[in-house]
Amino acid sequence: MALVRSIVRANQGHEQQQHGLIEEEEDDDITGEIPTIAFPSSSTSIGSINHFPDDKRWELNYQEAAIYLQEGENNNRFDTHPSNQSALPAYLIVHNTYFFLIDLAASILLMSLALIESPAVPVIEVDEFIHASLELFCLTLIAIGVGMKMRWLGLKSFLKHKRTAIKAVVLLIMYVEAIIVIIRHQSHFRVTRALRPFFFIDCHYSRGVRRSLRQIFQSLPPIVEMLVLLFYFLLIFATLGFYLFSKIDHNDYFRTMGASFVNLFVLQTTANYPDVMMPAYNSSRWSALFFIVFLILELYFLTNVLLAVVYNTFTDVEKEKFKRLYLHKRLGASMAFRRLCSRMHPGLISFPHFLGLMKYYKSNHSKRDVLLAFRTLNSSGTGFINLSEFFNIYEVSLLKWTAKQDEKLWFESLFPPLDKPFRLINYLVNLKPFEILVYAVIALNGSVFIISTIVISGTGSAQEVMETLEVVHWYDIAFVTFYGIECLLKILGLGCQRYFGNTWNVFDFIVTVVAISGIIFQVVDTNFYFVVILRPLRLLRLFKVRKRYRDVAATVRVLMPRMFSMGLVIVVMYYFYAIVGMELFSEAKLENCCQNTTLEEFYSNSSSYHLYFYLNNFEHILNAYVTLFELTVGNNWHVIMNAIAMTVSEWSILYFIIFYLSSMVVVTVTVAYVLEAFLFRMQFAQSDAARIIEADTAIEVNVNLYYGDMQSMFKETASDLQLTILKNDLRLSQTQSLRFKGARPRTKADLSKTMYAREVEEWIRDSDLQERKELRRFLVREMSRQSLTTVCAVTPPARDSPLLTRVPFQDNTGGYPNHIPELNEQSPNLRNIQQINNEQEDERTESMEDGGISEDATRFEVEAEVEARSENSSEDVETGINNDVVSENRKEDNNESEPIENGPDEYNMERRTVLNGDHNKEDDADVPPTVL
């Protein structure tokens, strides 16, 4: 029939719209370990769907909803679900914490094989068969994950997933090479080993690395444009320098066009300045103008413009990324929301279903935390969560809950007068003069340390310095004693929980304990003199004095995860170039090379020179890493480049230029990271949002939990010790309630949401218009299916069965067969009704766009439309179904939903599910507001 076909087409279109929605922003795999559940076969018909136990169907919906939330949180595309239920076990195995760790260990071990492969570190070199076998073992572990991903995605979707397809190709190439090494029992030219970091980048725990790499690739277009401009002027100056200085005697820097270009490229890094200028300067003093103009244009102007362009692009990308991720998370929450709605409460989530969701989404949360999270989300106090409230699931699920009574000072439970000394200590450590005294002592300690170090450094020989360092002075003992007393007073006055809850206090405690231990060991054994290097660390506390210093410290704290990810990017980049360098230059003999050239003194091992530049080589991967770091720093990097070019080939220069450009890009993006983070904080401090919240403060939420909540939500608590204790505490409380505080750190995303509040409202308004339309169609479609199922089946589905009638993890047709028996597909009435309904949908959509439709009106229109579809569907049934049975089914659907039993007063309200349009104004008042 036309209605059935339109419903199926609508479901297919909705699923297709979900696929590829954020393909460009594809990021990480889904986090969290999801337990395996037994699933029915994928060939489930309508009748079997309705007779499938509701608890099993709900478990499937909980699991799929949790996956949608995780995909939204991790910025994954929504088309990575298993294509069918039989493929789901492979999905669950790969998305398992243990498999994540195995994949990470295999990728790290695979990269570590470079230590024992030829050219290997001399002390750990092994036979080719051993390292090739280890390589095959690691590749097999990685191949298992790739094969299972193909199993649940299907071949077509697998090939569309670019990163996974590339991973499979690289895996195949390395398999072939490892087998060849085993067969030949001899290594060969294997530059493809440089691709091994790709497996590490693709690991689940390398999310930050992938994001940093994506940031670099997104910043490449402006970098490439500026590099083209930079090389354009470089080529002009190289040509001009060749014509001006090539005829000067003893000036090899501009002897050829190639030498002129390479030496000016090095001059741009200032590594060979002023050496490159001196022969021409000796010939004519006016030649200095050439080099001055070149450095001003290339080094001080174009290079800084490059940084400015990258920063501007980086800032735009950051804001766009925040927008896409924010809307992507909302879409994930919306799709999860649909799988938690029931027929009894369409458009709402009850606590049992929220509890089922959290069992998979946040399995480490206790039932008490889940209840508190539910109360926090349910800001309307109706006992049900609507869509607008459910959008906050990501932030609320991160809250750490503590009872307010736990925040009392530890000595408040002591009997007077035992608590008075501790109250006095608490008053003392919270005084501003006490804090100033501590800062003054720290500053004095730093001054004494610097002066004593200067005095020690002027004592003469190294032996005298060692003897001075081994002496423990009285002022060292005095300062350490003061710090110890400070820590003790704060612990007694604040309590252990509050004291160690502050990061600076933890830092002070560690430094103090190490300093005290160091002095004790130094008195017993003078070999512990090195602990003096820890004493200046206390000077870092002075950063708290000035707001500018606090901003710098906060910026460093925010940047630490990004800097760690960027450091891993540099390690991966070094690995790539180290493998290529070893394959190309490992046989180069640099010791005593470059005879009768300007580089001779750098590489000679005679007693006349002690520069040891021949140690900068590519004989094995450890030496290669050190050499590449020296090239990154830039000082005398051209010496290494020219020496290898003379020893191997002049074409080797291309390797070093490309590496230098790569490192420059990474360093430029890293600087942009720092600038963006610091300037964002400065802009936030100057914005109106800073008047509302403090950037360094944590987000806190206070929630009251009542005994009635526990009675209604958890009727059986004997199996959970925490719930039993909490229930007794609530019952014994005078007000039968307890107050809980939820807290979490304030992230940059929170600050961005506050600072871009107006833009966020526009994003939400544009997104919600389409989302409400889609959700409304979803409710109409699913409730219509329930009505059709009721007409076709003798036993109607339960009122609390999932509203989403398709079996989760099913094909795009929602688990329905291609036709429904006993319904007339050629019914003209149904085709006309469907056409009218489509026209009404378009009219309502236009009305919503004009802001003329309310949330409640949308809800009742959905219910009325379902009622109309249900009535017209029943008129078109030309089968032998008993009319009394059909009438009884409709009567069952029209029953009122039951109120929450034994719930708190604010929750104990009756709600009527209007399915057949027989509601009145009194019914409307009982229905809580919801967002569709």
Side-chain angles (χ1 to χ4, degrees), residues 109-122:
L109 179 59
L110 188 63
M111 292 177 61
S112 302
L113 292 179
L115 295 169
I116 61 177
E117 294 173 330
S118 179
V121 178

Side-chain angles (χ1 to χ4, degrees), residues 11 27 198 226 236 260 293 508 515 570 702 753 827 901:
N11 187 39
D27 193 16
F198 187 86
M226 290 303 302
I236 291 177
S260 177
V293 173
D508 290 342
I570 294 176
N702 294 316
K753 190 191 302 185
S827 173
E901 298 179 1

Side-chain angles (χ1 to χ4, degrees), residues 268-507:
Q268 182 180 281
T269 68
T270 70
N272 61 350
Y273 188 79
D275 300 1
V276 70
M277 184 184 73
M278 298 315 294
Y281 186 68
N282 179 57
S283 176
S284 173
R285 297 297 188 267
W286 291 101
S287 61
L289 292 176
F290 173 87
F291 298 95
I292 293 173
V293 173
F294 174 81
L295 287 175
I296 291 175
L297 179 63
E298 290 278 316
L299 178 62
Y300 296 109
F301 179 70
L302 291 180
T303 304
N304 289 312
V305 170
L306 170 65
L307 177 60
V309 171
V310 172
Y311 169 73
N312 183 60
T313 304
F314 189 87
T315 305
D316 295 339
V317 168
E318 280 289 297
K319 187 173 182 179
E320 181 65 20
K321 184 176 70 173
F322 168 72
K323 173 186 176 181
R324 296 176 71 100
L325 179 58
Y326 181 76
L327 296 179
H328 187 63
K329 291 169 69 174
R330 286 176 61 89
L331 181 59
S334 176
M335 298 173 75
F337 181 85
R338 302 176 188 185
R339 279 136 185 90
L340 301 175
C341 297
S342 65
R343 297 184 69 250
M344 184 189 302
H345 308 296
L348 298 171
I349 301 177
S350 61
F351 176 74
H353 301 321
F354 182 77
L355 180 64
L357 165 70
M358 297 299 285
K359 180 173 62 175
Y360 297 106
Y361 179 52
K362 296 290 181 181
S363 57
N364 58 338
H365 279 33
S366 64
K367 292 183 178 179
R368 183 206 69 175
D369 295 344
V370 174
L371 177 58
L372 291 170
F374 183 84
R375 290 295 306 273
T376 305
L377 287 173
N378 183 219
S379 57
S380 60
T382 61
F384 297 90
I385 300 175
N386 58 40
L387 180 59
S388 61
E389 295 170 339
F390 190 73
F391 281 142
N392 299 317
I393 180 66
Y394 296 107
E395 292 79 10
V396 172
S397 63
L398 296 177
L399 294 173
K400 304 296 182 183
W401 296 98
T402 56
K404 277 289 188 178
Q405 60 182 8
D406 297 339
E407 296 185 352
K408 295 182 179 179
L409 295 172
W410 69 276
F411 52 77
E412 291 182 0
S413 59
L414 298 178
F415 295 103
L418 297 178
D419 61 332
K420 290 185 178 180
F422 301 106
R423 293 184 184 276
L424 181 62
I425 294 174
N426 178 266
Y427 175 76
L428 175 65
V429 298
N430 285 302
L431 285 176
K432 190 67 175 179
F434 180 80
E435 185 179 4
I436 295 175
L437 175 63
V438 173
Y439 287 145
V441 173
I442 292 174
L444 179 61
N445 185 13
S447 302
V448 171
F449 179 81
I450 293 173
I451 294 173
S452 62
T453 303
I454 295 174
V455 173
I456 292 173
S457 64
T459 55
S461 63
Q463 182 64 29
E464 293 177 354
V465 173
M466 291 292 297
E467 292 175 357
T468 308
L469 290 176
E470 293 171 358
V471 177
V472 180
H473 300 282
W474 66 268
Y475 50 81
D476 294 329
I477 298 176
F479 284 124
V480 171
T481 303
F482 177 83
Y483 297 144
I485 294 175
E486 180 208 359
C487 290
L488 181 61
L489 290 176
K490 286 188 174 182
I491 292 175
L492 293 176
L494 301 176
C496 292
Q497 183 176 0
R498 290 194 175 187
Y499 178 81
F500 291 105
N502 186 286
T503 307
W504 285 106
N505 289 338
V506 174
F507 173 77

Side-chain angles (χ1 to χ4, degrees), residues 26 77 139 142-143 146 149-150 153 155-175 192 194-202 210 217 576:
E26 177 208 349
R77 296 184 303 182
L139 293 174
I142 297 173
V146 175
K149 194 165 187 176
M150 183 185 294
L153 285 178
L155 182 59
K156 185 176 181 180
S157 299
F158 180 85
L159 295 177
K160 289 182 179 180
H161 200 277
K162 298 178 182 178
R163 196 174 73 228
T164 307
I166 295 174
K167 183 177 180 179
V169 173
V170 174
L171 190 66
L172 179 61
I173 294 174
M174 294 202 172
Y175 247 115
T192 53
L195 300 177
R196 287 175 179 173
F198 187 86
F199 301 120
F200 173 76
I201 295 172
D202 193 59
R210 290 196 292 273
F217 292 143
F576 177 86

